[in-house]
Amino acid sequence: MKRLGLIGGMSWESTQVYYRGLNEGVRARQGGLHSADLVLISVDFAPIAAAQQRGNWGDLALRLQQAAEQLANAGAELLMICTNTMHKVAPEVAANTPLPLLHIGDASGTAVVDRGCRSVGLLGTRFTMQEAFYRDYLTQHYGLDVYTPEPAQQDLVHQIIFEELCQGRVEAKSRTVIQAIIGQLVENGAEAVLLGCTELGLLIPESERPVPILDTTRLHVDYALNAAMATAKN
């Protein structure tokens, strides 16, 4: 397989799911003692989260570009940004690295379309739900209508992500809150729902009923393995 380069740590709680998923995926596909060929840069999330709050996206793009350069120097052949929110700066990162970027929007959009859905609910951080970068990507590249929760619900989802899941807390009451918000998205017309924050999969299980509930972390892992192993040398 081609060597995967991961920019992680945003948060490390979800990055460990990436690491486990990639290795389990390789073992499932190749058997025996096979595991993933990858290199990982795990950043300190606190200053990144603070910069997000301040809107310093240019600084964040530069930080991820530097991480991508480190990964390229370590022999990575494909690049993964292991977070939904930081795909806001994916165009700048992709333009400044020789590594092909495996975009989480492609993993998510493909999975939704493959299920025959034309509309999708999107949960994530406030940045992911409110700003256009993710919604527009799904619409422009996959023709999807994208639904997001109402503002008060967006605040609840954002709070659960940053104050609980990113700090290792998985609360049953928060699971109930998110499930209710998902139900509202379905009532509003969503034919599938994306757990568009890499931490949300720690709280809500994937499901295909009554509509597909899709964990973008797992979708991204499968998408990356397909890309890395499709070019494997015999």
Side-chain angles (χ1 to χ4, degrees), residues 26-163:
V26 170
R27 182 172 61 191
R29 295 176 187 220
Q30 294 190 326
L33 297 177
H34 287 288
S35 56
D37 184 357
L38 61 84
V39 288
L40 166 66
I41 296 289
S42 187
V43 301
D44 181 2
F45 188 38
I48 287 176
Q52 290 175 346
Q53 294 293 337
R54 294 192 302 269
N56 290 351
W57 297 102
D59 292 344
L60 291 170
L62 180 59
R63 176 67 184 91
L64 265 60
Q65 290 168 30
Q66 293 169 341
E69 182 178 357
Q70 291 175 283
L71 292 169
N73 291 338
E77 297 169 273
L78 298 169
L79 178 64
M80 301 178 73
I81 301 173
C82 299
T83 162
N84 287 272
T85 297
M86 290 302 290
H87 275 74
K88 178 175 172 64
V89 299
E92 294 89 339
V93 175
N96 289 279
T97 175
L99 301 178
L101 174 64
L102 303 177
H103 199 293
I104 201 168
D106 291 319
S108 301
T110 299
V112 173
V113 171
D114 283 351
R115 285 166 173 78
C117 302
R118 304 308 306 171
S119 62
V120 64
L122 176 62
L123 297 178
T125 66
R126 188 182 295 116
F127 314 109
T128 297
M129 292 184 288
Q130 291 183 357
E131 300 192 30
F133 71 94
Y134 206 106
R135 290 183 280 110
D136 284 357
Y137 196 93
L138 294 175
T139 298
Q140 293 170 7
H141 292 268
Y142 295 93
L144 295 171
D145 294 324
V146 182
Y147 296 86
T148 54
E150 62 184 40
Q153 293 177 330
Q154 291 182 16
D155 290 341
L156 282 174
V157 177
H158 188 88
Q159 178 181 341
I160 289 168
I161 290 169
F162 276 91
E163 296 184 11

